[in-house]
Amino acid sequence: MNEVFFQSRSFFDLPFKKKMELLRNEKNRGYTPTLDETLDPENQAQGDFKEGYYIGIEVPEDDPQAEKPFYGPNQWPSEDILPGWRQIMEQYQIEALRVCRAIAKILALALDLDADYFVRPQILGEPIATLRLLHYEDKVSDPARGIYGCGAHSDFGLLTLLATDGVAGLQICKDKDARPQIWEDVTTLKGGFIVNLGDLLERLTNDVFRSTLHRVVLDGQERYSIAFFADPSHEYLAECLPSCTSETNPPKYPPITCSAYMCQRFKDTHADLSSYHGQATSK
């Protein structure tokens, strides 16, 4: 984790022009500039004051699997500029997915399912798994004016592992339906993970498990974090689990494939790539 944080800083320290050469593509792989993402448009005056870098499951371009929306080759910084960067990120992906599968076994048991329910091929056996490096600017957020490091949102998929550098800013709202919403600071443990449950898990469990509403409010300090999103396979049909429904508690959400759901959520929250025309050459 320390090495990933070091390498993340090394990338974000590069000149803006160099970073824009790796601008995210239609597969959501690569660099996302500041303000690229707006996670809470109803309450944000501008986009998020953070830059990021997406790394997904590496699938060669000539592999039939690469036709899927979230599979394909990644964009990698040149070895001449950041030697060993790719190897470190890929190793972290492997380890983070291993941890997510272990957590998923605990979730399955809590739902009266077989322990391996979520690690089957159609769920986390062949997942959409995404590593995202994040760097927050040394800005001061102003919620009253709609300015945030990261707007309030819940993660889209199954579960998220979040590692932070210890700098304050992350807040959660335990009851997202309450009005007014009450926000609490999250205390981080060095070497530990914050685990966020995602919207797909909420749909699967019929609200037994609620997704975690969270945001980042900056106090003027630069901030880094590493998010790893573990989500089901493209084809997985997300529908209410048998143990989470009954005659008196029918399913609250219609079935939807993971691929369709994730594509729509990304489209809703990210700037159109055409808006960057002329700023960079996306690979």
Side-chain angles (χ1 to χ4, degrees), residues 100-102 104-105 115-126:
C100 285
R101 285 171 173 157
K105 290 185 177 185
D116 291 331
Y117 184 88
F118 289 118
V119 297
R120 295 177 298 157
Q122 59 266 50
I123 308 183
L124 293 182
E126 297 173 4

Side-chain angles (χ1 to χ4, degrees), residues 69-71 122-124 126-129 156-158 199-201 203-204 229-239 254-266:
F70 294 96
Y71 278 0
Q122 59 266 50
I123 308 183
L124 293 182
E126 297 173 4
I128 298 172
F156 309 155
L158 202 68
D199 294 335
L200 270 180
L201 187 64
R203 294 174 73 100
L204 287 174
F229 305 97
D231 306 321
S233 69
H234 285 79
E235 299 81 10
Y236 179 65
L237 186 65
E239 56 185 342
I256 188 170
T257 64
C258 182
S259 178
Y261 184 76
M262 299 292 283
C263 284
Q264 187 60 52
R265 294 297 298 273
F266 270 85

Side-chain angles (χ1 to χ4, degrees), residues 111-164:
L111 294 165
D112 295 324
L113 301 169
D114 182 82
D116 291 331
Y117 184 88
F118 289 118
V119 297
R120 295 177 298 157
Q122 59 266 50
I123 308 183
L124 293 182
E126 297 173 4
I128 298 172
T130 306
L131 173 62
R132 194 176 189 197
L133 311 175
L134 294 164
H135 170 229
Y136 295 85
E137 297 184 13
D138 52 354
K139 302 280 186 184
V140 176
S141 296
D142 186 348
R145 293 172 53 220
I147 298 172
Y148 296 89
C150 178
H153 69 288
S154 47
D155 294 336
F156 309 155
L158 202 68
L159 61 92
T160 306
L161 286 187
L162 182 67
T164 76

Side-chain angles (χ1 to χ4, degrees), residues 168-189:
L170 180 64
Q171 297 181 333
I172 63 168
C173 176
K174 290 180 180 176
D175 184 357
K176 55 189 176 183
D177 297 324
R179 294 293 180 272
Q181 291 177 335
I182 298 171
W183 291 92
E184 303 174 43
D185 293 325
V186 176
T187 303
T188 58
L189 283 172

Side-chain angles (χ1 to χ4, degrees), residues 11-61:
F11 173 79
F12 291 121
D13 282 344
L14 293 175
F16 180 67
K17 185 177 179 181
K18 279 290 181 190
K19 291 184 286 190
M20 286 297 285
E21 289 175 2
L22 294 165
L23 178 68
R24 67 176 172 87
N25 56 25
E26 70 283 350
K27 296 274 191 177
N28 287 298
R29 308 293 180 94
Y31 177 63
T32 55
T34 299
L35 305 182
D36 177 79
E37 193 171 18
T38 307
L39 287 164
D40 186 13
E42 289 186 12
N43 295 301
Q44 283 182 262
Q46 296 174 283
D48 294 352
F49 279 91
K50 69 177 191 297
E51 53 182 348
Y53 201 91
Y54 281 117
I55 303 166
I57 299 284
E58 182 73 26
V59 177
E61 205 161 8

